[in-house]
Amino acid sequence: MTAAAAGALLLAGCAGLMGASDSSGAIMLRHTPPERVQGLLAQAESDLRDGRFQNALTGFSTVVQTEPENRRARVGMAEAYLASGNAELALKGFDGLLAETPDDAPLLQGRGIALAQQGKADAAEAPLAAAVAANPSLWRSWNALGRVHDLQQKWDRADAAYRRALEINPSAASVYNNLGYSLLLRGRYAEAATQFDLALRHEPGMAAAQDNLAFANALMGQYDRALAAVPAERAPTALNNVGFAALARGDYGTAESYLIRAVQDSSRHFGTANENLRWLTYLRKNSLDAR
C-alpha cells in the first residue's frame, strides 16, 4: 500500500488510451475530450465517497494520464490512497501538491492524516494544527489530532480534539470509534464500549468498531456479550480478540478455548491466534516455574 503499485496502476490506465503508431513508429496518446474528463472526475469522486477506492484511483489516474497537471484529479488520487490506507503514496501526492500551494488547508489535512496513519505523531501534529488554524471546520483534522495526542498519551488534548470533531460532524462514526479506542487505551472499558456503540449506530457495518466493541466487552469479562453481535464472517477475528482479552485478564483457561476456536473457525491460517496461543503457553510455563 508502494511506488511500484502506483506505477502499475498508471500503466494500466494508460493502456486504454493508446492509439495506433504514427509513420515513425512513435506511440501517440489519444486525446480525451474535455466533457469526458469531467465525467471521469465526477464518477471517480462518487466512487471515492462510496468507498470504491480502486475504481476511484483508476478514474483519477486516467485523467492524470491525459492531463498531468489536472489538480482535481491529483487531489482525488491522494485522497483515494489515503482512504484506502496507503499512507505512503498519499503522502507523496499531498507533498507534491503542497509544493505548489503550501498553505492549502485540505492538503495540510491530508498530509497530517497520512503521517498519523504511519504512526508519526510528532510529524503529523504541525500540518494538522496548521490545517485547523486555517479552517477550524475540518473535522477530519481534529479527528486525526485526537489520534496524534493518543499516541503522545496527552489524554486531555485528545478528548478536546475528538469533541471538536464531533461538534462539527456529530454523525462521524470514525470519531466515535477513535474516541472509544482512546478510552480503551486508558482502561476505561465501559466508556469505550459506549463510544463503539455510537459508532455502530451511525455506521452499522463498521468492522473496526465491531472488533473494538467485542474487545472492550471481553476486557470487562463479558465474553458472551462480546461475541453476541459479531457477524459470522468476522467470528475468527472476534474470537481471537476475546481470547487475547481473557489472556490479559489472566483467565488462561478461557483464553485458550477462544483462541483454539479462532484457529478452527478460520478458513485460512490464522497466524495471530496461533501466536497468541504460543504466548499463552509461555505465560503458563512461567507462572508454574514461579511457584
Side-chain angles (χ1 to χ4, degrees):
M1 296 180 184
T2 62
L9 177 64
L10 293 177
L11 287 173
C14 186
L17 298 170
M18 287 295 186
S21 301
D22 65 14
S23 58
S24 67
I27 298 294
M28 298 180 294
L29 284 175
R30 187 179 299 134
H31 180 67
T32 301
E35 61 273 16
R36 173 62 176 151
V37 167
Q38 294 306 308
L40 284 169
L41 285 170
Q43 182 59 54
E45 287 166 348
S46 175
D47 288 334
L48 179 58
R49 286 192 300 272
D50 294 340
R52 296 185 295 270
F53 303 134
Q54 188 56 54
N55 289 348
L57 283 167
T58 299
F60 289 130
S61 68
T62 299
V63 173
V64 170
Q65 288 298 312
T66 54
E67 297 184 8
E69 301 305 314
N70 189 301
R71 186 174 180 81
R72 186 174 160 194
R74 291 165 63 205
V75 171
M77 284 189 73
E79 288 286 359
Y81 280 128
L82 187 65
S84 62
N86 193 332
E88 182 182 353
L89 289 181
L91 188 59
K92 289 181 180 178
F94 287 119
D95 281 347
L97 289 156
L98 282 165
E100 302 164 9
T101 53
D103 298 323
D104 186 293
L107 297 180
L108 288 166
Q109 170 178 256
R111 184 174 198 276
I113 293 174
L115 289 165
Q117 283 185 358
Q118 293 178 324
K120 299 175 180 177
D122 293 340
E125 188 171 7
L128 291 170
V132 295
N135 184 351
S137 69
L138 294 176
W139 70 268
R140 292 167 60 210
S141 290
W142 289 113
N143 186 33
L145 276 169
R147 182 67 186 124
V148 163
H149 296 320
D150 285 338
L151 292 169
Q152 297 167 333
Q153 297 187 8
K154 297 177 180 177
W155 309 122
D156 289 345
R157 295 182 69 180
D159 286 342
Y162 290 132
R163 279 197 301 271
R164 288 295 301 275
L166 289 171
E167 286 169 4
I168 299 163
N169 187 356
S171 63
S174 61
V175 182
Y176 292 109
N177 179 66
N178 285 353
L179 175 55
Y181 192 78
S182 177
L183 292 165
L184 205 63
L185 292 174
R186 301 176 233 176
R188 294 160 60 177
Y189 305 143
E191 294 172 78
T194 298
Q195 297 303 318
F196 298 137
D197 275 327
L198 287 168
L200 291 168
R201 188 178 304 172
H202 291 286
E203 190 177 326
M206 188 176 190
Q210 290 170 349
D211 291 344
N212 288 337
L213 178 59
F215 190 50
N217 284 324
L219 284 168
M220 293 186 284
Q222 300 172 2
Y223 302 127
D224 290 339
R225 184 178 181 185
L227 296 169
V230 175
E233 66 272 13
R234 299 200 59 75
T237 297
L239 287 164
N240 171 75
N241 292 350
V242 170
F244 183 82
L247 189 62
R249 288 168 54 85
D251 191 352
Y252 294 161
T254 301
E256 183 176 41
S257 67
Y258 282 113
L259 291 170
I260 289 173
R261 284 176 60 192
V263 173
Q264 292 173 341
D265 287 8
S266 180
S267 60
R268 54 181 174 75
H269 176 70
F270 200 162
T272 303
N274 280 302
E275 185 61 32
N276 286 336
L277 280 168
R278 285 191 287 272
W279 180 241
L280 171 60
T281 301
Y282 171 81
L283 290 175
R284 273 180 164 162
K285 181 179 183 301
N286 278 14
S287 177
L288 291 171
D289 289 346
R291 291 179 184 178

